[in-house]
Amino acid sequence: MNDEHTYEWETITAELNIIKPVNEIEIQDVLGKSLDKLEKWEAFYEMYAKRMGFGTRKDDVRRSHGVIVMRRWVCCSRVRKKSHHGHTKKKRPHDVTRTGCQAAMRILLTQPSNTWKCKEFSTMHNHELASSSEVQFLRSYRVVSNGLLAQVRSMNSVGIKTANIMSHVALQSGGYEKMPCQLRDVYNRVAGAKREEKIETDSEGALGFLDCLAEKDPNFFVVYQVDDENRLANLLRADGNSRVDYVAFGDVLGFDTTYMTNEYNKPLTVLIGVNHHFNTCIFGFALLLHEKLPSYSWLLQKFLECHGDKKPSVVVTDQDAAMKQAIVEHMPDVTHRLCAWHFNTNASKKVKDPIFLKTFKDLMYNYYEEEEFEARWLDVIQTQQLPYNEWCQTTFESRQQWAETYLRGSFVAGMRTTQRCESINSALKKFLEKNYCLREFVTTRDMTSLKARTQRDRK
């Protein structure tokens, strides 16, 4: 029913000369009656169905010279009509909801009075009707109003997830049982609104937003790479505050990647450091095509370009082999420290020997002379019968990147793990949804970054 046409039940039933309660209306009370507008019949049948406890949908329409001359509505439990080829128009099975119900109403445009007369009115249902408390959950009546849509999209733009917004709406409505729609209806309506927006491509919308930020911030840095099909592959951005922070606190760099922040599942990489108050500072964000050497190489090249080719003294990452190779190629003189938390976690999974785990943790965090370190390692490997454990062998080969014996003297600002990166990733996921397109991602991510920086400055 069109939004501009709103009719009261009492008004329409008065025009039809119906004075019975809705559950006592019979076929002869409606059949053959006329109304001056099609919209009135549509409103009547929708209100009648809602009071009776079933949903409706438009079933058939006929036109003459582009003008509607017949319209039919049916119960939602009716099976879809057949196509010209004899096949039922049905995208998926509806074993529960499609029962072949015959309830329907059909109206015709009559001349010369130019009124709409009811030619069919069937009240027979072959299924149970919904109660007054259940009818709002029928699909026909789960309506996402324009006001609710505007509220959801506005709150999405400042980093509030749709599910959290609907929890707030439920509280305002007096409970979920009084909600005008369900969460899935809101997702569908928001997705439809996005498709209707006139933006050439998603990536162009995202880059357009970043260009606007660059106009406001003279030190804003954004660079991107496209693939062979002219699609956005990699993107790096850093605002003026991030570039200033890197000048002062860029001695130690940590970065990690996370997924499920956008509908393309492009890995989000956050590059961070630690300031003089021991707070996390962000040096940049990147969206990468994948977690492989070409993307990491591009990221490090552009990151150094962004920050005047200033290299950090120490880089802290997880054990990703592609990331390690990229650091060797583009930052060969930098001390590469591997995340202690990842090593402890992997040791618990790969070895599961409590004596080894205790010794391994001691060797990781405490300083020993190299000869003593190797002697302690060899002793625990032999006593615990682990000389052929593949994880132990590869871990010992990379000892210069995780053991305090070999890393002593390297300033790390207390950052022995990538937990700061993962904490930021976790915080971002509270605001970012996996179905966000690139344009929504960059706008929401910018807003959440601004919130985080404001909260940090207040401390």
Side-chain angles (χ1 to χ4, degrees), residues 124-193:
M124 298 300 295
H125 297 271
N126 64 353
H127 57 91
E128 292 186 5
L129 300 179
S131 65
S132 58
S133 60
E134 297 171 335
V135 70
Q136 62 178 326
F137 299 111
L138 295 175
R139 184 175 181 179
S140 301
Y141 310 117
R142 300 200 310 259
V143 179
V144 181
S145 65
N146 291 334
L148 178 56
L149 175 64
Q151 181 181 5
V152 170
R153 301 204 69 187
S154 176
M155 296 176 77
N156 279 159
S157 68
V158 295
I160 304 177
K161 285 191 172 183
T162 303
N164 295 336
I165 299 171
M166 294 308 293
S167 296
H168 176 65
V169 173
L171 180 64
Q172 290 179 317
S173 302
Y176 283 96
E177 68 279 2
K178 296 182 180 179
M179 290 277 287
C181 56
Q182 297 181 359
L183 181 60
R184 175 50 52 192
D185 303 318
V186 177
Y187 280 130
N188 292 338
R189 182 73 193 279
V190 170

Side-chain angles (χ1 to χ4, degrees), residues 258-262 266 268 429 432-434 436 441:
T258 185
Y259 284 93
M260 306 301 285
T261 58
N262 56 84
K266 295 173 75 69
L268 169 66
K429 284 185 177 181
L432 300 172
E433 298 190 19
K434 64 181 181 181
Y436 275 6
F441 173 83

Side-chain angles (χ1 to χ4, degrees), residues 282-346:
I282 300 172
F283 299 142
F285 285 95
L287 277 176
L288 302 180
L289 180 62
H290 45 52
E291 289 185 286
K292 297 180 180 180
L293 180 59
S295 289
Y296 284 132
S297 294
W298 180 90
L299 172 61
L300 292 183
Q301 289 177 4
K302 298 306 177 182
F303 180 79
L304 292 175
E305 177 184 330
C306 170
H307 296 292
D309 205 36
K310 176 186 175 180
K311 296 182 176 64
S313 300
V314 175
V315 177
V316 182
T317 73
D318 60 19
Q319 295 172 257
D320 187 278
M323 189 182 299
K324 179 179 179 180
Q325 186 176 348
I327 292 173
V328 171
E329 290 181 5
H330 300 283
M331 299 179 177
D333 299 327
V334 171
T335 300
H336 183 195
R337 183 165 194 147
L338 298 175
C339 173
W341 181 85
H342 281 92
F343 267 104
N344 281 323
T345 301
N346 290 334

Side-chain angles (χ1 to χ4, degrees), residues 38 41-42 57-63 68-73 105-109 116-117 120:
L38 180 151
W41 278 116
E42 184 174 10
R57 61 178 172 82
K58 295 176 180 177
D59 178 62
D60 197 7
V61 63
R62 293 179 188 173
R63 292 179 171 85
I68 296 177
V69 296
M70 189 278 287
R71 169 66 78 183
R72 190 169 189 254
W73 296 270
M105 185 182 75
R106 179 168 56 92
I107 62 172
L108 289 175
L109 179 63
W116 294 87
K117 180 179 288 189
E120 177 189 2

